[in-house]
Amino acid sequence: MHKSVLLLLGCIGFLCGIAAASFIVIGTMWLWALVFIGASSLLVRRRIAIILGVLLLTATVGMWRASNAFAVPSPLWEIAGSKPKALLVGYVDGDFEPTKNGGRYTFRVLRVQTADSVIAMSDRVLVSGPDWIKPRQGQVLVLDGKLQRPTSFDDFDYISYLAKNGVHATMYFPQYSVPTDLNLPWFTHTRLWFGASMATVRIGVTESIARAVPQPMASYLAGILVGAKGVVSQEIKDGFSRTGTSHILAISGYNITIVAAVLMSLLAPLGRRRAYWLAVAGIVLFVLLVGGTASVVRAALMGVLVLTARQLGRAQDMGTAIVLSAAVMCWFNPMLLRWDVGFQLSFLAVLGIVYVQPLFQPSFEQWFRFKPLASLLATTLSAQVLVLPLLLFDFGQLAVYTLPVNALVLPLVPIAMALGLVTAVAGMFWPFLGALVGQSAWLVAAYQLTVIRFFAHLPYASLEVHISSALMFALYSALAVWLISMYRGTITERK
């Protein structure tokens, strides 16, 4: 059996093990039993026995890794259990996000001081406060308030949702001060300086666009360009949701994958190699602009993998690389697999573009003579095919017009981002020039939002379709069987 096949099987087994441990508690005795069965299977030296052995052994590793990660206690969670009055010393670890009652942001806690003790740590807390105090990323502060544990809802595990991002406590409307005795290592100082600089750039870009472009187009441009949180109105978000285009607003691997694939299609006349490197450079620039958080870096990695797959044209090798990258990410954070919908959508969208698009592409090229449009439609439909069951399970919303809306809006997303960036930079140095260039950005954004609004208000634009977990797994099993049969048929025809 080829080494690449063994690697793929090992990664699949590892991910299955993490998935199993995310739903059920697996005792040590069962882990040793699985190790014994897996090792015994390898000794048989038959193909099916080797496959079973590799899957069982790597699944055991995944269960062990997930069980250990879930069992690690959070000092902040333990302290917050008694809802104490506490002083938190640390720094702002995320952008300020406006909410209905003010705003919120994540705060990296380096030291906790209560009435009984002083404890050093590195943990995160979700802070809510007034909108007239907007701490910037990287700002060192002392928060004085009451620590609390987050609570889950009836149909939503909010505790685990926050825990996947390392957040284990909340604090509401604390008092602020600046620490005088906090000595940070040089590396941390440098990282905070860079994060604060990028936050300043994002704020500057958002404000510059707002001066040059009317609303709501300005908020839309800032949202897709630098991931500005809370600037896009709820009405616009609902329109994107009803038309199946929410991925345009979200900073996820799903969004970056689609935009990067579209960008590469638009740059195709320059040659595949140049288009590839320009698209990768665009992803790197985007990551720097939006802050380079762990979720954004994961999303960018998925996007680069898709571009590489299209550049090399080897779906099998890239499929192994994608599954390997997912396994590596889940090794460092096992909670991603169950509680991070963005990661799940990104992973499925990437697999769809790598494996499904080559099956759809010939048909679309026959139907549409303009190849970039054919590639765009094939890319969009390929991603939608694999993410649809998960979307129906998690959100229960079926966007009926998603394909035509994506065809009309997606090709202009890279253009809107480029014009928005030029508008922002020009407006920082010469407001008149920014307003002049901003007319082009406004025109593109206005067209996109008009298309979104039109389709969102059509009858039956969005249907409520809730599916069970059993049906979701059945649909994915059927898709897997279909893909295997299609690729086997392709290989047979080539022979």
Side-chain angles (χ1 to χ4, degrees):
M1 189 175 295
H2 198 274
K3 292 181 180 179
S4 62
V5 176
L6 291 176
L7 177 62
L8 178 60
L9 290 173
C11 293
I12 293 174
F14 177 77
L15 292 173
C16 290
I18 289 182
S22 299
F23 289 93
I24 58 176
V25 178
I26 302 172
T28 305
M29 182 182 68
W30 287 105
L31 293 179
W32 282 113
L34 291 175
V35 169
F36 176 77
I37 297 173
S40 301
S41 300
L42 292 179
L43 296 177
V44 177
R45 295 188 177 278
R46 290 186 179 180
R47 183 181 179 85
I48 187 65
I50 292 176
I51 292 175
L52 178 62
V54 171
L55 288 175
L56 286 178
L57 289 176
T58 53
T60 304
V61 175
M63 295 175 192
W64 169 81
R65 176 69 185 101
S67 299
N68 283 350
F70 299 157
V72 174
S74 166
L76 205 57
W77 171 269
E78 299 297 332
I79 296 173
S82 58
K83 299 182 180 180
K85 184 83 171 174
L87 290 176
L88 307 182
V89 182
Y91 57 87
V92 180
D93 200 20
D95 287 335
F96 184 87
E97 180 181 358
T99 60
K100 292 182 179 180
N101 300 320
R104 62 188 179 189
Y105 57 92
T106 54
F107 187 79
R108 174 70 64 177
V109 181
L110 302 178
R111 189 173 70 231
V112 177
Q113 180 177 342
T114 63
D116 302 326
S117 61
V118 177
I119 303 174
M121 64 177 63
S122 180
D123 216 332
R124 302 177 80 192
V125 60
L126 183 64
V127 182
S128 299
D131 56 3
W132 52 270
I133 299 179
K134 298 180 180 179
R136 295 190 179 184
Q137 184 172 356
Q139 189 172 357
V140 180
L141 295 171
V142 176
L143 306 183
D144 185 358
K146 181 182 290 186
L147 270 179
Q148 300 182 50
R149 288 180 176 178
T151 55
S152 296
F153 310 107
D154 293 337
D155 56 347
F156 182 57
D157 190 354
Y158 188 55
I159 295 175
S160 298
Y161 171 79
L162 292 180
K164 72 175 173 56
N165 294 323
V167 176
H168 298 101
T170 59
M171 181 174 279
Y172 294 92
F173 293 84
Q175 295 181 346
Y176 298 85
S177 60
V178 179
T180 57
D181 59 341
L182 184 62
N183 296 318
L184 296 175
W186 174 85
F187 177 78
T188 304
H189 265 299
T190 303
R191 187 162 58 86
L192 292 181
W193 170 83
F194 182 78
S197 301
M198 289 298 100
T200 302
V201 170
R202 289 194 294 276
I203 293 173
V205 167
T206 302
E207 293 177 347
S208 181
I209 292 176
R211 289 192 297 267
V213 180
Q215 295 292 354
M217 281 64 73
S219 297
Y220 165 69
L221 290 170
I224 64 174
L225 184 59
V226 296
K229 296 181 178 179
V231 298
V232 180
S233 68
Q234 189 60 45
E235 180 185 359
I236 293 178
K237 290 180 181 178
D238 292 340
F240 277 84
S241 177
R242 287 176 58 83
T243 55
T245 51
S246 296
H247 57 84
I248 295 176
L249 298 176
I251 301 178
S252 65
Y254 189 18
N255 172 34
I256 293 180
T257 296
I258 297 293
V259 173
V262 171
L263 183 61
M264 196 168 176
S265 298
L266 294 175
L267 295 173
L270 300 177
R272 289 186 61 181
R273 183 179 294 274
R274 289 182 181 178
Y276 170 76
W277 287 112
L278 286 174
V280 170
I283 291 177
V284 173
L285 177 62
F286 183 72
V287 169
L288 293 176
L289 279 176
V290 300
T293 60
S295 60
V296 173
V297 172
R298 288 196 300 265
L301 177 59
M302 289 290 185
V304 171
L305 284 173
V306 169
L307 294 183
T308 305
R310 302 185 78 180
Q311 175 68 11
L312 297 177
R314 301 175 65 178
Q316 181 178 357
D317 292 344
M318 285 313 303
T320 302
I322 292 168
V323 177
L324 175 61
S325 66
V328 172
M329 294 177 194
C330 289
W331 172 271
F332 288 102
N333 188 356
M335 301 190 77
L336 294 176
L337 200 58
R338 179 179 177 185
W339 288 286
D340 194 328
V341 178
F343 171 79
Q344 298 163 7
L345 291 174
S346 302
F347 180 67
L348 291 171
V350 170
L351 288 179
I353 293 173
V354 171
Y355 284 109
V356 181
Q357 184 180 359
L359 302 176
F360 289 167
Q361 187 76 22
S363 299
F364 278 97
E365 288 182 352
Q366 290 179 357
W367 298 335
F368 303 95
R369 294 183 179 180
F370 187 53
K371 284 190 176 182
L373 177 60
S375 178
L376 166 67
L377 293 174
T379 299
T380 304
L381 184 59
S382 300
Q384 289 288 338
V385 165
L386 282 199
V387 301
L388 183 58
L390 181 62
L391 288 174
L392 295 179
F393 172 74
D394 280 324
F395 305 107
Q397 193 171 26
L398 176 63
V400 177
Y401 307 116
T402 181
L403 193 59
V405 175
N406 275 283
L408 293 171
V409 173
L410 265 182
L412 296 179
V413 170
I415 298 174
M417 295 174 70
L419 291 174
L421 180 60
V422 173
T423 299
V425 174
M428 290 178 184
F429 295 98
W430 191 9
F432 175 76
L433 181 60
L436 189 63
V437 178
Q439 299 308 304
S440 300
W442 168 84
L443 183 62
V444 175
Y447 161 77
Q448 291 177 303
L449 294 183
T450 301
V451 172
I452 296 292
R453 286 197 191 99
F454 173 76
F455 280 93
H457 287 88
L458 287 179
Y460 308 106
S462 178
L463 303 177
E464 289 191 10
V465 181
H466 295 273
I467 65 174
S468 63
S469 57
L471 180 56
M472 180 185 67
F473 285 120
L475 290 174
Y476 278 120
S477 298
L479 283 171
V481 172
W482 172 70
L483 282 174
I484 292 172
S485 62
M486 291 296 293
Y487 273 93
R488 279 186 176 177
T490 303
I491 294 174
T492 303
E493 289 177 2
R494 288 178 180 176
K495 290 182 178 180

